[in-house]
Amino acid sequence: MRLHKIMAALLLPLAFLASAGAQELPPPVDEALRRAEIPNYAVGAYVQEVGGGQVLTGTNWNAPFNPASVMKLLTTNAALDLLGPTFTWKTQAYADGPLRGDVLQGDLVIKGSGDPKLVMESLWLFLRQLRARGIREIRGSLVLDRSAFEEAVYDPAQFDSDPIKPYNAGPDALLLNYKSIGLRFLPDEAALKVNVLVDPPLAGYRVAPPKFALGDCTDWRNRLRLGLDTPGQIRFDGAYAGACGDRTWYIHPFQMTHVQYFDAVFRHVWGSLGGTLTGPTRNGAVPPAARLVAEWESAPLADIIRDINKFSNNVMARQLLLTLANQQLKLPATPERGAAVIDTWLARKGIQAPELVVRNGSGLSREERISALTLGRLLVAAFQAPTMPEFISSMPLAGLDGTMRQRLNGHSVAGRAHIKTGTLNEVRAIAGYVLAASGRRYAVAFLVNHANAPRAQEAQDAMLQWVYEQG
């Protein structure tokens, strides 16, 4: 990230707090902030009618704040505008060698384009195409062309020192199944043992199950003492209580590279389809003479951003930022190139955002910054765009679905606000649209950065209710 943006993130809060003039927030919002012991300087808010009318309320709207997952609105809106709602990702298979009978005398090359949702079902259908083309045995290597994204060192522990969490999986041009696995524990009380199923199955991987334990099911994940330090093995040094019953734990197998993960899943699925692969799996590029033998096309972007925004999928958002870089610049993608694409896009829209800092486009960062004003102007502009329906429908609906399904239940604003949420330590953020009782629609951004931010939900919900009633 360029130095001037980092300096802006550090210096703009002091300059803008004076120039913006902290306005009074609505009484119910102000009172809720007081109860939560959150000072005004820790809040950035902006509410404006989507027709571009007068600001309804707000405070500190120029100041940069960490938005957490609300940053996904910037990434997904840029993608809708630049790529279009019908954009799709293609995963292609090439044969590098002659097909004699049902034997490919050479390598199979799979080229990825960064599909954020290449899951097990997709891979199975994709490989079925290969079998339908008559390929059974690959008498060569499996070559993975991941060149759409630039190869880079990625530390899954950097964000929160918890690399096992699925949201800490890194992006990849051939991301498969979000590079996560589900561990399903099935206790057998009669035999006093625990069976462990791995989904997706990983060819060549062994599972050393935990011991069976009696007693209550308490702190069951920590009691398992999961070990991922041994290559080719998932190990449990602890115990699992029979009282826990059937449970599943989703993890990121961080000790595996993307190539190793893809190889293990591919070999299992290919084998289940009656196929064989004799050679190793390695990185590479599609040779000029290779011929296309199968292609998988993803769901359209409009569907992908619903998963990103409704359920705040960090891994998919990272993929999307890199896709923007790859598609717009025609270069191997990096987060810096993705951020540059967004900078240029905002400038073309006339949105000045000197405070903006984009690290990965997902909000899973301690360094990303945006102001309530930039978010508000983005939302107002998005409402005027032809992709407005796709953008709004991608956000959680208050009281009904996504990350907002448990909020504002029983309030009159429930079902009338499409709101993206953001949560990190010392960060609580919301942004989106409220359809007021008057029939007018408002863009709302409300960012809190403070040690007491976890107590900010009451104030943020009060803001949404107040806009519904007063707007």
Side-chain angles (χ1 to χ4, degrees), residues 286-343:
V286 178
R291 64 191 185 280
L292 182 68
V293 291
E295 181 175 87
W296 174 259
E297 188 171 11
S298 74
L301 177 64
D303 290 352
I304 295 297
I305 68 165
R306 283 177 61 86
D307 285 345
I308 292 174
N309 287 335
K310 290 274 189 188
F311 306 105
S312 209
N313 191 302
N314 293 292
V315 181
M316 293 177 75
R318 288 175 181 266
Q319 295 282 115
L320 188 55
L321 180 70
L322 293 175
T323 297
L324 281 171
N326 179 252
Q327 292 294 314
Q328 295 297 301
L329 303 179
K330 306 303 179 185
L331 293 169
T334 66
E336 293 77 15
R337 287 171 178 158
V341 168
I342 286 182
D343 281 347

Side-chain angles (χ1 to χ4, degrees), residues 86-415:
T86 61
F87 173 83
T88 58
W89 288 260
K90 292 179 174 62
T91 303
Q92 299 169 319
Y94 292 83
D96 185 25
L99 181 63
R100 295 195 175 100
D102 60 2
V103 178
L104 173 60
Q105 301 283 349
D107 298 336
L108 179 73
V109 186
I110 298 183
K111 181 178 177 62
S113 62
D115 186 349
K117 199 176 180 180
L118 184 65
V119 293
M120 282 294 291
E121 294 85 349
S122 308
L123 181 67
W124 186 80
L125 291 170
F126 177 46
L127 297 187
R128 275 193 63 191
Q129 291 183 41
L130 290 175
R131 292 291 286 116
R133 292 294 298 268
I135 300 174
R136 179 188 59 80
E137 180 181 349
I138 303 166
R139 198 165 292 175
S141 298
L142 175 64
V143 180
L144 305 182
D145 187 335
R146 302 157 57 234
S147 59
F149 294 175
E150 188 171 288
E151 191 80 34
V153 175
Y154 177 78
D155 180 6
Q158 182 179 11
F159 175 69
D160 58 6
S161 301
D162 199 357
I164 202 171
K165 292 292 181 65
Y167 58 69
N168 278 322
D172 193 79
L174 264 174
L175 180 73
L176 177 60
N177 219 54
Y178 317 113
K179 197 174 174 258
S180 67
I181 59 175
L183 302 172
R184 185 178 178 187
F185 300 92
L186 300 168
D188 184 343
E189 296 194 31
L192 295 179
K193 68 176 185 178
V194 180
N195 298 310
V196 182
L197 302 181
V198 179
D199 184 28
L202 305 174
Y205 267 70
R206 303 184 306 277
V207 177
K211 297 177 181 177
F212 183 92
L214 301 173
D216 296 335
C217 182
T218 57
D219 197 21
W220 64 276
R221 289 186 179 90
N222 285 332
R223 289 182 65 190
L224 283 166
R225 293 169 55 199
L226 172 64
L228 293 174
D229 53 329
T230 304
Q233 179 173 299
I234 298 172
R235 188 183 76 253
F236 299 95
D237 296 328
Y240 184 82
C244 292
D246 182 346
R247 299 201 180 199
T248 301
W249 184 11
Y250 293 96
I251 67 166
H252 169 224
F254 64 89
Q255 88 287 13
M256 301 177 72
T257 66
H258 283 281
V259 171
Q260 290 169 335
Y261 181 90
F262 196 101
D263 169 75
V265 177
F266 177 94
R267 288 178 188 273
H268 172 80
V269 176
W270 186 240
S272 72
L273 291 170
T276 60
L277 168 64
T278 59
T281 297
R282 58 180 173 84
N283 274 318
V286 178
R291 64 191 185 280
L292 182 68
V293 291
E295 181 175 87
W296 174 259
E297 188 171 11
S298 74
L301 177 64
D303 290 352
I304 295 297
I305 68 165
R306 283 177 61 86
D307 285 345
I308 292 174
N309 287 335
K310 290 274 189 188
F311 306 105
S312 209
N313 191 302
N314 293 292
V315 181
M316 293 177 75
R318 288 175 181 266
Q319 295 282 115
L320 188 55
L321 180 70
L322 293 175
T323 297
L324 281 171
N326 179 252
Q327 292 294 314
Q328 295 297 301
L329 303 179
K330 306 303 179 185
L331 293 169
T334 66
E336 293 77 15
R337 287 171 178 158
V341 168
I342 286 182
D343 281 347
T344 302
W345 171 71
L346 284 174
R348 285 205 307 264
K349 296 177 78 69
I351 298 177
Q352 301 300 316
E355 85 292 351
L356 182 66
V357 178
V358 177
R359 287 299 194 210
N360 56 47
S362 74
L364 194 68
S365 167
R366 305 295 179 195
E367 299 172 348
E368 291 197 319
R369 295 291 184 273
I370 197 169
S371 68
L373 175 63
T374 297
L375 276 169
R377 293 187 67 192
L378 174 77
L379 290 165
V380 169
F383 192 81
Q384 309 303 326
T387 54
M388 174 270 289
E390 288 83 3
F391 184 53
I392 291 183
S393 66
S394 76
M395 300 181 205
L397 195 55
L400 294 179
D401 71 0
T403 57
M404 285 291 293
R405 69 184 181 279
Q406 300 297 331
R407 292 176 64 167
L408 292 162
N409 302 101
H411 289 73
S412 51
V413 71

Side-chain angles (χ1 to χ4, degrees), residues 446-463:
F446 194 142
L447 312 174
V448 177
N449 288 186
H450 191 265
N452 290 335
R455 298 162 60 184
Q457 180 173 318
E458 180 188 358
Q460 292 175 338
D461 288 355
M463 175 70 87

